[in-house]
């Protein structure tokens, strides 16, 4: 993509670990560009039938206004290194509507989307976040945040 068409945030929801790894590789060259031409964040959504995760990671270091803030957020591939070992046949159901309704809980995608967008809202509204993702389990009705590591 040409620099004029780059976005500072990439949002993904793909059906395979392989796709996430390829996206990670594609984002790496975007680290060193000028601020108006580079990627800063990668927000990834992933799910199985009744569980899922949202991870907001950074693409390289991001200059912070004070030293108490983390300059880097772990992205989904770094946070879940087991993705590199996942075989495609072990992947969860497709995100396509027809396939997903037979294999996924009805609200897994919309719940993850709302929680992930709330994370972005907090980042935009408050210009800082304490958590950079979450794990969701619809069976236990639990949401576990992913705390930012200093």
């Amino acid at each position: 993509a040409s620099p004029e068409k780059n976005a500072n945030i990439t949002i993904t929801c793909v059906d395979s670990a392989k796709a996430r790894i390829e996206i990670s590789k594609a984002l790496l060259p975007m680290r060193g560009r000028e601020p108006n031409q580079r990627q800063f964040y990668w927000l990834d959504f992933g799910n199985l039938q009744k569980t899922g995760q949202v991870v907001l990671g950074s693409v390289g270091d991001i200059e912070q206004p004070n030293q108490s803030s983390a300059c880097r957020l772990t992205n989904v591939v770094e946070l879940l290194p087991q993705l590199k070992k996942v075989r495609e046949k072990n992947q969860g159901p497709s995100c396509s509507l027809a396939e997903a309704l037979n294999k996924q809980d009805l609200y897994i995608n919309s719940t993850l989307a709302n929680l992930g967008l709330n994370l972005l809202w907090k980042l935009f509204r408050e210009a800082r976040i304490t958590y950079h993702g979450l794990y969701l389990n619809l069976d236990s009705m639990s949401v576990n945040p992913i705390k930012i590591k200093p």
Side-chain angles (χ1 to χ4, degrees), residues 10 21-33 38-39 42 58-60 72 75 77-78 84:
T10 298
I21 292 164
E22 292 301 315
I23 291 166
S24 174
K25 289 177 186 175
L27 291 175
L28 284 177
M30 305 295 207
R31 293 188 294 198
R33 294 186 175 187
R38 69 179 273 220
Q39 295 285 322
W42 175 17
S58 58
V59 179
R72 185 149 181 16
N75 68 49
V77 173
E78 296 163 340
K84 295 178 181 176

Side-chain angles (χ1 to χ4, degrees), residues 47-131:
N47 67 282
L48 295 173
Q49 184 176 10
K50 299 176 183 194
T51 61
Q53 80 279 336
V54 176
V55 179
L56 177 65
S58 58
V59 179
D61 292 346
I62 300 173
E63 188 175 327
Q64 299 298 309
N66 62 53
Q67 293 178 344
S68 65
S69 300
C71 65
R72 185 149 181 16
L73 299 175
T74 308
N75 68 49
V76 68
V77 173
E78 296 163 340
L79 187 67
L80 304 172
Q82 65 269 28
L83 288 175
K84 295 178 181 176
K85 298 175 187 172
V86 171
R87 296 177 191 258
E88 294 306 315
K89 66 180 181 180
N90 294 336
Q91 291 290 281
S94 170
C95 288
S96 74
L97 183 59
E99 238 182 289
L101 286 176
N102 290 323
K103 298 179 181 179
Q104 295 178 334
D105 276 10
L106 180 59
Y107 295 106
I108 186 70
N109 288 329
S110 60
T111 303
L112 284 169
N114 282 317
L115 291 167
L117 290 174
N118 187 61
L119 181 64
L120 275 183
W121 169 247
K122 285 184 158 304
L123 180 64
F124 295 151
R125 170 91 182 199
E126 300 169 14
R128 67 176 303 155
I129 51 176
T130 307
Y131 303 97

